Amino acid sequence: MTGGTRVADRDRTMHARRSSMRRFLLPVALGAALAATTSVVVPALSAAPATDELNWGPCPETPVPTPDLECTTLRVPLDHRDPGGPTIELAISRLPSTNPEQRRGVLFTNPGGPGGSGLDYPQLLTSTALPSPLPRSVRDRYDVIGFDPRGVGHSTPVTCDLTPEQLAIGNLPYANDPADVVRQAEVAKAEARQCAEAETGAMLPHTTTANTARDMDRIRAALGEPTASYLGASYGSYLGAVYATLFPERGDRIVLDSNLGPGGYGIEAMRAFGRGMQERFPDFAEFAARHPEHGLGTTPDEVTAKYHELAARLDREPVAAYTGSIFRGMTFSSLYGSDMGALARAWRSLDRGEEPEVPGGEPPVSDNVPAARFAVLCGDSAWPRSVQSYQRDVAVDRERYPLIGAASANIAACAFWATDPVEPKVAITDGGPSNVLMVQNERDPGTPLSGARELRSALGERARMVTVEEGGHGVYAVGANRCANDAVTEFLVTGERPEDTTCAAQPR
C-alpha cells in the first residue's frame, strides 16, 4: 500500500467514524441526501426485569466492519432509582484479549458525542489506518469493551422526529444579529416540543451521563469483573470522570482524552467552542498562507480575512447547501483533524461558487444522533430559558470569538426542554484512588485546554495530565504524537503514570 493510499484510507475511516467526538459536531447539510431521511425504528420499552445474562454472538452492521468483535445485549432499568420499573436494552461489543495469560481485565471505551455510537469503536481502535492503533501490549492485557450508550444506535434509541429541514440547520447556526436568535428560538422550541411528543419522550429525562455511567457499572457486573479500566475521548472524558466519581473503587486505570471541563456539556462548554476555534484556526491560516496555490491569501491575516469574507458572502448567497453557518461549522469541525489540504480545497471551491467535495460519512438516515445529543445535553444541565440571555451571549461572543462565537452561544432546544434535570449534576471531586491519566492537545477546538485544566484541578491528586503541544481533537491512537501515545500505553499496561508533563509537537 502506498503512503498516499494509506493516508486516503485513513482519512475516509476517520471522517466516517473516526471517533464520534468529531462526527456529532459536523453540520448536517447536503439537502438532497437529507430528503431520504427516515424516522428511527423505536423498540417499545419493556416491563421485563433487568438481567445480567450475556449471550455473545455476531455484531449488527456498523459503519466500521467488525470481524473480530462479538456482541450481546443487556437489559437495564430505564430509571436506576426504580430497578423494578421499565427497562431498556444496551448493545455491547467485546474484542477479546489477544493473550489470556496476560489478561488484566476489561477496558471500557467511549469515542465521544453525546449521541455517539461506540459499538464498533474497539475494532476501529485496532485499525492500521489510524496513526497509532491500539498496541498489542494493550490488546494482551484487556478485553476491549464497546457499547452504544442508552438512547443511541443499536441500544434502545431515542428520536425527536426531526425533519430534513431541521437537520440541515446543523448544530451551530450563526446569529448575525438579535433577530437571528429570535428566529432560531422558534426552531429550537419546535425541536424541544417534538422531542417531548415523540414515541420515546418518556426516555428523555433518563438519558443522561450519570445514568450511562450507571449502565457501565451494570455491564461491568454482568461481565463478572470486580473493576473496569476505561478509555474515553471528548464527551467520553466527562463520562469517564462521572463514572470514576460515582464508582471510585470500581475503576482500575482511567484514561481521559481531549477533556471537557468538570461541568460536562453545559452552556459554558458550548460557548467554549468559540475559544477553541480561535486557538486552533491560526494553524490553518498559517498552512493556507504557506500554500498560495489555494488562493486563500499569502499571510495568515489574509486567510483570516478570506474566512470572514467568504462566510458573509455565503450568508447572502449560499452555494448549494452551504450557507454561511454551514461553512463556519464545516471549517470548525474540519479543524478537529489534521487534513488542512482538504479544508483549503473546500474553501477554494466555495470561493469559486462550486459545491466542495468534503470527505465524510453519509448523512444520517435517522435523527437518532441529534436526538440523543439533545437528550444528554438538556438532561444533564439546567439551561437558561430567556431568549434575551442568548442574545446577550451571542453579542458578547461575536466580539470575543469572532470566528464562530455567535454560533456556539446561540439558542438551542435545551432552552425550551419540557423537563428539568431529574437529579443534580454529578460533582467531580478528588475523592477516590489516584488512577486517572488525562491527555490533551494544547489547541483543541472542541475541548479547549482551559476546560482540561479545570477538570485536572477538580480531580486533584486522583489525576495526572499529559499536555501535547499540538492542535486538533483526539490524542491517543488517533494522533501520531509518540510521547503522548507511549505515556498512555505505559499506564494501561503497567499502571505507571508520568507526573504532569508536556510532550513536544511531533515533526511532520
Side-chain angles (χ1 to χ4, degrees):
M1 178 180 291
T2 66
T5 301
R6 181 176 296 275
V7 169
D9 288 346
R10 182 193 70 199
D11 288 342
R12 281 192 291 271
T13 301
M14 297 298 284
H15 280 90
R17 279 282 297 109
R18 173 177 185 168
S19 63
S20 303
M21 60 179 101
R22 172 175 178 179
R23 189 161 59 100
F24 302 120
L25 295 170
L26 286 170
V28 182
L30 307 182
L34 284 174
T37 298
T38 59
S39 295
V40 67
V41 177
V42 181
L45 296 183
S46 173
T51 175
D52 288 345
E53 182 179 353
L54 298 180
N55 298 302
W56 297 96
C59 292
E61 184 177 353
T62 65
V64 172
T66 55
D68 302 321
L69 285 183
E70 51 189 6
C71 287
T72 189
T73 60
L74 176 69
R75 298 209 72 86
V76 297
L78 172 64
D79 183 349
H80 282 276
R81 300 169 302 178
D82 181 17
T87 62
I88 56 174
E89 191 169 79
L90 300 179
I92 307 162
S93 64
R94 177 170 67 181
L95 188 64
S97 164
T98 49
N99 190 337
E101 292 184 359
Q102 294 186 13
R103 181 185 180 278
R104 177 179 179 83
V106 293
L107 176 66
F108 279 71
T109 61
N110 182 277
S117 169
L119 200 65
D120 57 7
Y121 194 48
Q123 188 81 65
L124 178 59
L125 285 169
T126 68
S127 171
T128 56
L130 292 179
S132 307
L134 213 59
R136 180 65 181 264
S137 57
V138 174
R139 294 281 312 281
D140 285 348
R141 297 307 193 280
Y142 300 96
D143 293 345
V144 184
I145 305 298
F147 66 103
D148 281 353
R150 58 170 53 209
V152 173
H154 294 283
S155 295
T156 305
V158 294
T159 180
C160 290
D161 296 329
L162 299 177
T163 66
E165 292 75 21
Q166 288 169 323
L167 290 170
I169 293 171
N171 292 335
L172 295 170
Y174 190 88
N176 285 290
D177 54 38
D180 281 348
V181 179
V182 173
R183 282 187 283 272
Q184 180 57 26
E186 291 304 309
V187 175
K189 188 182 300 183
E191 291 171 339
R193 183 182 65 252
Q194 289 166 223
C195 291
E197 294 175 353
E199 185 177 359
T200 55
M203 287 181 60
L204 298 180
H206 309 291
T207 306
T208 63
T209 301
N211 279 330
T212 299
R214 295 177 181 119
D215 292 342
M216 286 171 53
D217 205 55
R218 292 294 290 260
I219 298 171
R220 175 203 58 77
L223 292 169
E225 298 289 339
T227 61
S229 293
Y230 180 81
L231 170 62
S234 194
Y235 164 75
S237 68
Y238 179 60
L239 174 60
V242 169
Y243 183 82
T245 299
L246 291 178
F247 305 101
E249 301 306 322
R250 296 178 191 166
D252 185 11
R253 296 167 181 171
I254 309 296
V255 178
L256 309 180
D257 185 342
S258 304
N259 297 269
L260 280 170
Y265 263 130
I267 187 172
E268 292 305 319
M270 291 298 296
R271 293 179 69 182
F273 289 159
R275 175 174 184 164
M277 188 167 178
Q278 292 293 145
E279 293 174 347
R280 172 63 164 153
F281 185 83
D283 293 337
F284 173 72
E286 292 173 6
F287 168 87
R290 292 196 308 270
H291 294 272
E293 66 271 18
H294 293 297
L296 306 178
T298 58
T299 67
D301 285 345
E302 289 180 357
V303 176
T304 304
K306 172 59 72 175
Y307 171 86
H308 291 295
E309 184 270 324
L310 190 50
R313 191 196 319 164
L314 291 168
D315 278 335
R316 298 188 303 270
E317 300 178 4
V319 173
Y322 284 83
T323 62
S325 282
I326 296 298
F327 165 72
R328 294 179 181 97
M330 177 268 289
T331 299
F332 172 69
S333 58
S334 295
L335 293 174
Y336 275 42
S338 59
D339 191 351
M340 301 295 185
L343 179 58
R345 291 189 294 274
W347 276 36
R348 183 176 60 192
S349 294
L350 288 168
D351 196 30
R352 295 172 176 174
E354 303 167 353
E355 185 173 359
E357 294 184 7
V358 179
E362 293 298 317
V365 295
S366 80
D367 73 339
N368 178 235
V369 169
R373 181 174 181 271
F374 282 149
V376 174
L377 266 60
C378 307
D380 276 5
S381 303
W383 293 72
R385 299 282 186 169
S386 165
V387 174
Q388 289 75 23
S389 72
Y390 291 93
Q391 289 175 318
R392 290 192 294 270
D393 289 347
V394 164
V396 168
D397 285 7
R398 185 186 297 110
E399 296 298 320
R400 185 168 57 169
Y401 306 127
L403 293 171
I404 206 167
S408 56
N410 205 355
I411 196 166
C414 295
F416 304 99
W417 209 241
T419 58
D420 292 327
V422 297
E423 63 179 318
K425 185 176 294 189
V426 175
I428 308 300
T429 72
D430 60 358
S434 183
N435 62 345
V436 179
L437 178 63
M438 302 168 58
V439 284
Q440 176 74 32
N441 283 328
E442 277 190 350
R443 301 182 304 283
D444 185 323
T447 53
L449 179 60
S450 56
R453 286 173 170 162
E454 291 176 8
L455 180 61
R456 171 67 183 85
S457 178
L459 288 168
E461 285 303 304
R462 294 202 66 184
R464 298 291 182 267
M465 186 163 79
V466 175
T467 305
V468 185
E469 293 179 329
E470 295 184 8
H473 192 58
V475 179
Y476 188 59
V478 301
N481 190 280
R482 181 175 298 176
C483 166
N485 279 305
D486 287 351
V488 174
T489 295
E490 178 74 10
F491 173 57
L492 289 174
V493 172
T494 71
E496 294 297 320
R497 298 179 307 174
E499 294 299 315
D500 289 344
T501 190
T502 299
C503 289
Q506 189 89 5
R508 296 187 185 278

